Amino acid sequence: MNAEIEKYRWNYVEDKKYPCNETKTMIASRLEKVENLPDSFLTREIEQRLWHIIYSINDKAEFEKALKTFAQKHSIDDYSFVEAFRKFPPFKSEYGSFSEKAIKKLLPLMRLGRYWSWENIDESTRSRIQKIITGEYDENIKDRVREMAIKLLNETNFQGLQVWLAQYVVYGRHSEAAIAGKWNSIDDLEKYLSEFKQHSLRNPIVEQIITETLRVVKDIWKQYGSGGKDFFNEIHIELGREMKQTREERERDTKRVTENENTNHRIKALLAELLNDGEVENVRPYSPMQQEILKIYEDGVLNSDIEIDDDIVKISKMAQPSSSELKRYKLWLEQKYRSPYTGQVIPLNKLFTPEYEIEHIIPQSRFFDDSFSNKVICEAAVNKLKDNYIGLGFIKQFHGMIVDCGRGKQVKIFEVNEYEEFVKRHYANNRGKRTKLLMEEVPEKMIERQMNDTRYISKFISGLLSNIVRAESNDDGVNSKNVIPANGRITSQLKQDWGLNDVWNDLILPRFERMNVLTKTTNYTTWNEKYQKYLPSVPMTESKNFQKKRIDHRHHALDALVIACATRDHVNLLNNQSAKSDTKRYDLQSKLRLKEKWVDSEGRERDRFKEFRKPWESFTQDAKKSIGKYCSKLQAKPTRNQ
C-alpha cells in the first residue's frame, strides 16, 4: 500500500480543510449517541428528512418539537435523539442556495472522468447541448449561451464545467432563478405581489423588506409613470451589506464595532490629556482628523515588534482609562512609532503638525480603499514624493533618495532590502498592513473583489427590481445591467465631496445649540478653525453609542439623494473596476473630479485630481434647502419588549 501511495500526490493546498459530505457526517455522528438505534437506520430518505427539519426550522422550541415527533414516528428513543440533535449547529446562509432539482441538473455537467456520464445528464439538458454543438436554431438558447460554450465542440466536452458555465448550459443564464424576466407594466408587478407566498423565503423580515420595497416602487410607478412600460430606465440601489453576512460574520462585526467604540473613547480621552501637555503641539481633541491620526499612530505602536507590558495592553483595550493610566499610556506612546518609508521616529509632540500626514499605502486613485489597514503616517514631504506609487513600488523608484522636510531636517528613503526587513519586523502583528506595504502593484484578486461589490446587495431584491429595467437584448442575467449598485463607502465619499456632511451639521446644529442653553454650558458645540463656524459636539462622557448621523430620520433623505445622483461612472471609478487598464481610467477621473496643476520633483507639470464635481452648481445649497423643509423625528431606541 505504501508503495502505491508514493505514486500519487495531494493536489490541493496543504493544511486546509476540505469538507466532504459534511452534513451526512454531522448527522451520523449524532445518531451514534441515540440509544438502541439499528445500524441500518440512516438511509438516504431518513437523511433527507432529518436535513429538512434542521435546515428549515429556526425556532428552538419548534425544532425540538419536530425532532421528538420524528423520533416517535420512526420508533426510536425520543429523549436521547432530541438530546443528540437539539444543539445541531445552524447551516451557513450560503447553504441551500441551490435547490435539489438544480443540483441534480448541474452536477452531471460538473463531474469529471469516470464520475461523468452522458446518460446521467437530464434529457432536456442533453437536447440543449446537441443544439449548442450543431448550431441548430432554438429561440430558448440565446446567443449569450452559445458565446459562453463556443469551445465545447462535442458531448464529452460537457464535463468538469465550472458552476457558472453549467448554469448557462442548463438555464441559459448564470442562475437557476426563475425571477429573471421583464415586467412591462405595473400589472406584472402587482401579479407577482399577489402570488407571493408567505414563508417562501424562510425569513419573515426579508419577506417584509421585499414586499414593502416592491409596493413603494409600484406607487412611484403608478403616480409618476402611470404604470406604463419602460418608465424606469435605471434603478439605483443601496442595501445594508450585513444582509449577506453569516451569523459568525455578524458576531465578528459586532465585536469589531465594540472594539472601535472603545478605541474612539480612549483616543478622545488621550487627546484631551495631550491638550494639557504643553510639549505636544496643535492638539484639537474633537477633530476627527486628529482622532484618526492618533488611532493610526497607536495601531503602529501596538502592532510593531516592541515588547508590550501587560498593563499597557490592558490600557489599550479600555474605553475610558483613568487619568493616571492615560499619562502612563501617553509616555509609552511617545517614543515608539516610526515612518514606514524612512524608519525615522515620529515624535508624539509633532504628530499633529503639518510635518506629518496620513498616507494611503495603495493610492485611492488606483484602488478605492479608505480603510484603516490602508493608512500609515509618514513625513509630509515623503507623502508628496510618493504620489501615485504603491508602497514597494515607491521604494524601488526612490530608494536611497534624501528628502528635504523643511526646517533643516532631511530624511533618507529606505533601500529596498532595508524597507522589506523593516516592514516584516515592525508589522509582524498587522498582516493586512504588512501585505499592502509589500505590494508593488494591485493584485488581480483585489480588483476582482471590488468589481464584485454587488455582493453587498440582496440577490433577491436586486433581481426583482431588474425585471423592471431589463434591456431587450444582452441583459439576461439575474441582475440587470441597468440596476446601479452603490455601497456605503461610495456614498460616504460622495457625501463628503459634495458638501453634504456640512449640510447635515448645519441642519442639526440648532439642537445642539439648544442643549447648550438647557445645560447652561458650551459643551454641545465646538469652534472649527478651518470653516470658521460652530459644529455640533457631544461631551466625552455622553458620546458612547452616539451617532450624529442618526439623530433623526432626515439622514435617509440625504442618503437617497446621494444614491440617486451617483452615476454608473461614479460607481465604476470608485470600485476601480477598470484598474487593469493602462490608463487607470483617467478619462473618468477627468470627467468626474476637479483637478489642479502641480509640478513634480523633475519639474514636470501634472494634474492632481481632487474631490468629485457636484451634480450641478447649486447642488449643496439646494439639498440643504429641500431637506431642511422636512420635519425631523427623533430616533427612539427600542426597548427589549418592543
Side-chain angles (χ1 to χ4, degrees), residues 375-550:
K375 294 176 182 177
V376 293
I377 300 169
C378 70
E379 299 84 354
V382 172
N383 187 23
K384 183 176 180 181
L385 178 66
K386 182 174 177 287
D387 189 31
N388 204 37
Y389 288 95
I390 296 175
L392 184 56
F394 165 66
I395 296 296
K396 288 187 175 181
Q397 182 69 23
F398 296 100
H399 61 93
M401 179 180 286
I402 304 298
V403 180
D404 186 1
C405 296
R407 299 185 182 182
K409 179 183 177 181
Q410 292 183 327
V411 294
K412 179 185 175 184
I413 304 297
F414 271 132
E415 295 293 343
V416 176
N417 61 333
E418 292 176 325
Y419 173 76
E420 291 177 340
E421 183 181 344
F422 178 89
V423 170
K424 289 174 183 177
R425 186 174 74 251
H426 282 262
Y427 293 91
N429 299 323
N430 194 332
R431 180 181 176 185
K433 202 163 281 187
R434 182 180 73 246
T435 300
K436 289 174 181 175
L437 283 165
L438 292 175
M439 285 179 187
E440 191 171 359
E441 287 297 333
V442 184
E444 296 294 324
K445 287 184 179 179
M446 290 180 68
I447 295 169
E448 288 297 322
R449 188 164 65 246
Q450 281 213 333
M451 287 174 67
N452 292 325
D453 260 350
T454 51
R455 67 187 180 278
Y456 296 129
I457 296 176
S458 164
K459 289 182 179 179
F460 202 91
I461 191 66
S462 58
L464 290 174
L465 294 176
S466 292
N467 292 335
I468 300 173
V469 291
R470 196 179 305 283
E472 296 293 339
S473 61
N474 298 322
D475 195 13
D476 57 354
V478 174
N479 294 330
S480 167
K481 61 186 179 182
N482 293 321
V483 170
I484 311 299
N487 62 40
R489 290 176 297 167
I490 291 171
T491 53
S492 294
Q493 179 72 54
L494 294 177
K495 271 194 290 188
Q496 176 65 37
D497 286 5
W498 291 346
L500 296 182
N501 288 339
D502 295 330
V503 167
W504 186 248
N505 282 329
D506 291 344
L507 288 173
I508 65 175
L509 181 62
R511 292 187 175 190
F512 291 80
E513 291 174 333
R514 176 64 174 161
M515 286 298 297
N516 280 344
V517 173
L518 292 174
T519 59
K520 297 180 181 179
T521 68
T522 58
N523 294 340
Y524 293 88
T525 54
T526 184
W527 179 254
N528 184 283
E529 289 289 340
K530 180 179 179 181
Y531 296 106
Q532 290 292 298
K533 65 179 182 180
Y534 283 100
L535 296 177
S537 180
V538 176
M540 197 175 304
T541 55
E542 301 175 24
S543 61
K544 188 166 186 180
N545 297 324
F546 177 81
Q547 291 180 293
K548 186 168 62 174
K549 173 186 174 180
R550 302 186 184 279

Side-chain angles (χ1 to χ4, degrees), residues 561-575:
L561 178 61
V562 175
I563 294 163
C565 294
T567 65
R568 189 190 307 275
D569 286 339
H570 288 104
V571 174
N572 286 345
L573 181 58
L574 286 174
N575 276 340

Side-chain angles (χ1 to χ4, degrees), residues 322-414:
S322 67
S323 178
S324 61
E325 287 169 331
L326 279 174
K327 287 178 182 177
R328 184 179 177 194
Y329 195 58
K330 182 202 74 174
L331 291 171
W332 179 76
L333 285 175
E334 275 182 334
Q335 54 192 329
K336 307 299 182 187
Y337 192 61
R338 295 175 179 272
S339 167
Y341 304 118
T342 66
Q344 297 297 308
V345 171
I346 302 173
L348 187 59
N349 63 338
K350 295 289 185 182
L351 181 60
F352 307 113
T353 67
E355 295 179 35
Y356 296 92
E357 293 178 348
I358 295 175
E359 194 278 315
H360 286 81
I361 303 167
I362 305 174
Q364 288 184 290
S365 60
R366 300 183 67 176
F367 182 80
F368 185 70
D369 181 3
D370 199 38
S371 68
F372 201 62
S373 67
N374 193 37
K375 294 176 182 177
V376 293
I377 300 169
C378 70
E379 299 84 354
V382 172
N383 187 23
K384 183 176 180 181
L385 178 66
K386 182 174 177 287
D387 189 31
N388 204 37
Y389 288 95
I390 296 175
L392 184 56
F394 165 66
I395 296 296
K396 288 187 175 181
Q397 182 69 23
F398 296 100
H399 61 93
M401 179 180 286
I402 304 298
V403 180
D404 186 1
C405 296
R407 299 185 182 182
K409 179 183 177 181
Q410 292 183 327
V411 294
K412 179 185 175 184
I413 304 297
F414 271 132

